[in-house]
Amino acid sequence: MEYTELGSTGLKVSRIALGAWQFTETWGVKDYALVKEIVAKALEVGINFVDTAMIYGRGMSEQLLGRALKEVEGGEEVVVATKIPGDFLSPEDVLRAIDRSLNRLQREKVDLLLIHWPPAWHNFPTCAYMRALERAVALGAVSYLGLSDYPVELAEAARSCLAREEIQALQVRFNLAERWAEVDHVPYAERHGMTLMAWSPLGKGALTGKYGLEDIGKFQDVRINEPLFHPANYTQVLELVKVLRDVGSKYGKTPAQVALNWLISYSDVVLPIVGARSPQQVEENAGALEWRLSYEDWRLIDEASKRLKITYITW
Ligand SMILES: NC(=O)c1ccc[n+]([C@@H]2O[C@H](COP(=O)([O-])OP(=O)(O)OC[C@H]3O[C@@H](n4cnc5c(N)ncnc54)[C@H](OP(=O)(O)O)[C@@H]3O)[C@@H](O)[C@H]2O)c1
């Protein structure tokens, strides 16, 4: 495994994180025994960083993950990121939500707390909730703060409210088929020493190459409405997967491993959060590390990926 520093916290985290959204109805890993196996495998391959959120299964993911981290050897040392929904950001709710999260995670402290998305409906003033989060750090309930799915302009506004803390991590969608993070977020994270946690780094499985066009109508999970799996988009994704497969064959690597390696090579601040539905997938994803694509191969993939024109208006 490779390790890096989380923002400027001094914490040493693995270069990929395990995504725990999978431990919900949405993705279907609800059986605790399987969750425990996935978490145990992650620790075994050296992953020490896990991402969950209060909203994932309305606490189910935190609960299953918290239990597994208690029971698997070494689990207590794992760095856990969780996220507070942008809807619960009245200063009173911030502390209440953190208490509940700690209870589900069976921990004394949240290592990294991110705001899941900017508030849209309740119009909480940015500095009111950012100061409440800073209070949670001062009181010892949270170690570090981050922002998820914030446009850079809003991230900067939120950051300017903080008197003592820094934003240590940003989360944003970033994968070979969806590259908007390159425009603002990556340079912003690089400039400010933040970790850029790339979510859906495998495009929810689209970049693994295991689904044909004939499979995409059969999903029973979150992917029913995922634009990447719309035929107009997925046809293009399959062209990219061909390139990933060809390049991967030179290195003895799978399309998933190549797709993750491309992201890791993009910038040293990029840290993919990879979801897994089995211990085998965790193991395969860990094989994305400890090697690098050559410059020529990285560019070949870059060019192929830039040919994609993904549309999100699919109806
Ligand atoms: N901040 C945010 O707003 C936000 C949003 C989304 C996600 N996230 C975080 O990011 C994490 C990852 O994102 P994601 O779950 O959307 O997508 P992802 O990591 O791109 O895809 C995960 C899915 O790909 C498949 N897969 C994983 N490894 C594989 C392998 N080696 N070979 C074949 N298939 C493999 C699995 O599904 P199948 O086996 O069923 O194909 C798995 O559930 C989440 O768990 C969550 O923690 C954050």
Side-chain angles (χ1 to χ4, degrees):
M1 183 49 61
E2 295 174 36
Y3 296 88
T4 187
E5 183 179 354
L6 175 64
S8 54
T9 64
L11 282 182
K12 194 181 104 174
V13 289
S14 46
R15 196 67 207 283
I16 55 169
L18 175 71
W21 185 21
Q22 273 58 25
F23 308 157
T24 59
E25 304 269 350
T26 318
W27 277 97
V29 181
K30 296 176 292 177
D31 168 27
Y32 173 68
L34 179 55
V35 170
K36 192 173 168 185
E37 278 180 46
I38 291 172
V39 170
K41 180 55 80 178
L43 268 79
E44 188 190 313
V45 298
I47 294 173
N48 73 342
F49 191 21
V50 184
D51 177 72
T52 181
M54 299 176 190
I55 204 76
Y56 293 166
R58 286 179 165 257
M60 179 193 266
S61 166
E62 287 187 330
Q63 206 145 27
L64 290 167
L65 175 67
R67 183 173 165 201
L69 291 176
K70 274 268 165 212
E71 292 181 10
V72 172
E73 205 189 320
E76 312 244 8
E77 281 80 58
V78 165
V79 176
V80 176
T82 192
K83 309 191 243 357
I84 181 168
D87 299 337
F88 300 166
L89 294 179
S90 74
E92 295 71 28
D93 274 351
V94 165
L95 293 180
R96 248 177 245 137
I98 293 170
D99 289 346
R100 291 192 178 145
S101 175
L102 287 172
N103 193 30
R104 289 188 290 264
L105 287 167
Q106 304 185 48
R107 293 199 153 203
E108 307 263 295
K109 228 173 172 179
V110 173
D111 297 316
L112 174 68
L113 181 66
L114 303 101
I115 303 180
H116 207 151
W117 58 79
W121 311 114
H122 298 291
N123 301 316
F124 300 123
T126 306
C127 282
Y129 68 76
M130 289 309 288
R131 295 288 292 160
L133 287 172
E134 203 165 40
R135 187 66 31 219
V137 177
L139 292 170
V142 173
S143 298
Y144 301 107
L145 300 176
L147 298 169
S148 169
D149 304 319
Y150 270 62
V152 159
E153 295 79 2
L154 288 187
E156 191 53 25
R159 187 168 161 253
S160 70
C161 300
L162 296 173
R164 298 163 65 156
E165 298 303 317
E166 245 311 336
I167 297 300
Q168 301 291 354
L170 300 177
Q171 275 196 28
V172 66
R173 183 194 292 256
F174 188 24
N175 64 59
L176 268 168
E178 302 172 290
R179 298 177 49 169
W180 293 108
E182 287 176 66
V183 179
D184 291 331
H185 288 89
V186 176
Y188 184 72
E190 286 173 341
R191 193 173 311 124
H192 297 294
M194 299 166 179
T195 296
L196 194 291
M197 301 171 72
W199 60 258
S200 290
L202 297 174
K204 296 192 170 69
L207 296 168
T208 67
K210 69 179 172 186
Y211 298 110
L213 260 184
E214 67 286 1
D215 300 315
I216 58 176
K218 299 179 196 153
F219 287 123
Q220 294 298 318
D221 53 34
V222 64
R223 290 172 287 199
I224 290 174
N225 293 317
E226 172 59 41
L228 275 190
F229 289 103
H230 187 275
N233 293 327
Y234 198 62
T235 314
Q236 303 175 56
V237 171
L238 287 178
E239 291 298 312
L240 173 61
V241 166
K242 263 191 228 152
V243 178
L244 297 178
R245 189 170 283 119
D246 286 352
V247 171
S249 67
K250 287 203 241 169
Y251 299 80
K253 296 289 177 185
T254 64
Q257 292 170 327
V258 174
L260 294 173
N261 195 275
W262 188 92
L263 277 182
I264 287 158
S265 308
Y266 186 91
S267 165
D268 59 1
V269 303
V270 174
L271 191 154
I273 316 169
V274 201
R277 297 213 308 163
S278 67
Q280 292 75 20
Q281 288 181 351
V282 175
E283 190 152 27
E284 180 177 334
N285 298 336
L289 294 146
E290 297 184 78
W291 61 283
R292 285 294 181 274
L293 288 161
S294 71
Y295 173 69
E296 291 74 23
D297 289 333
W298 192 94
R299 294 261 293 121
L300 197 70
I301 296 166
D302 189 49
E303 291 300 324
S305 126
K306 282 179 176 156
R307 286 196 282 274
L308 269 62
K309 298 276 173 276
I310 301 300
T311 175
Y312 292 87
I313 310 281
T314 53
W315 70 94

